[in-house]
Amino acid sequence: MPQSILICEDDPIMSDMLQSLLRQRGYHVCAVQQGEHALESVRQDPPGLLILDLMLPDMDGMEVLRRVRND
């Protein structure tokens, strides 16, 4: 089973590029555009890797990271 990667990026061009590159290399990729959605996704199905934008529309990426670490 391929490793899972969660991308939290609000720029659709950057998100699409990352998804495409990672899928070509055999990874299972999920992408969200908001920090709250990233937190929900991590709680439901923790990824092997989280690629996190620091400037998100709903909360700072560092806050997302703090919450993930606290959970």
Side-chain angles (χ1 to χ4, degrees), residues 2-64:
Q3 290 283 1
S4 66
I5 298 175
L6 174 61
I7 299 170
C8 184
E9 170 62 64
D10 62 324
D11 179 339
I13 295 171
M14 179 65 77
S15 181
D16 290 346
M17 180 189 69
L18 287 169
Q19 289 178 69
S20 178
L21 290 170
L22 292 167
R23 286 186 176 128
Q24 287 175 8
R25 286 162 178 76
Y27 294 98
H28 175 265
V29 181
C30 179
V32 296
Q33 294 182 337
Q34 296 186 7
E36 194 60 45
H37 295 156
L39 293 171
E40 291 171 18
S41 183
V42 168
R43 287 181 196 120
Q44 291 176 3
D45 186 20
L49 176 69
L50 171 60
I51 298 176
L52 182 60
D53 184 1
L54 294 178
M55 296 177 63
L56 297 167
D58 63 336
M59 72 175 71
D60 181 279
M62 292 303 290
E63 179 62 24
V64 174

